[in-house]
Every structure is written in C-alpha cells, then in structure tokens.
Amino acid sequence: MEEETVNRLITDEVEKIDDSERKQFIRSVLSHERKHIDLENFGYKSEYKDMIKEATGTED
C-alpha cells in the first residue's frame, strides 16, 4: 500500500458525506494521518489546529 493511501472502507464512508467542505476536511485529516502513521508519538495537535482553522476560516 502506498504511504498516502487510506483504507477503502474508510474512503467509501467518507464519500457518503454530502457536505463537500466537510468531506474535503476529513480527507485532509485522513491523508495527514496516513502519511505519519508509522511515527511514534507524532505531534498531531498543532497540525490539527491549523487544519481546523483553515477549514473553518477562524483563528481560534
């Protein structure tokens, strides 16, 4: 499996989401997770905060 490939069962569920912005956000999270799945104690917190800010257009 390619490093960035997400399990098909998961992507099939994501495809059922109607809201395109929500769907793209979830795809981004999954892609980020997959890229770093083999790293021990990977620091997700700041990356997720940045992704949420970008997706919502907020600075909080």
Side-chain angles (χ1 to χ4, degrees), residues 5-56:
T5 302
V6 177
N7 186 296
R8 181 68 185 248
L9 294 172
I10 296 169
T11 56
D12 287 349
E13 287 300 313
V14 172
E15 286 305 311
K16 295 176 185 177
I17 298 171
D18 292 328
D19 184 320
S20 62
E21 289 181 17
R22 183 175 294 162
K23 187 185 300 188
Q24 185 55 47
F25 176 74
I26 292 171
R27 284 180 182 155
S28 296
V29 170
L30 291 170
S31 175
H32 178 76
E33 287 271 340
R34 185 62 190 116
K35 288 177 193 173
H36 300 95
I37 199 165
D38 294 329
L39 299 177
E40 288 186 34
N41 301 317
F42 182 74
Y44 294 107
K45 187 174 181 179
S46 65
E47 289 286 332
Y48 285 145
K49 281 185 176 181
D50 291 344
M51 291 172 80
I52 291 168
K53 286 177 187 177
E54 185 178 320
T56 61

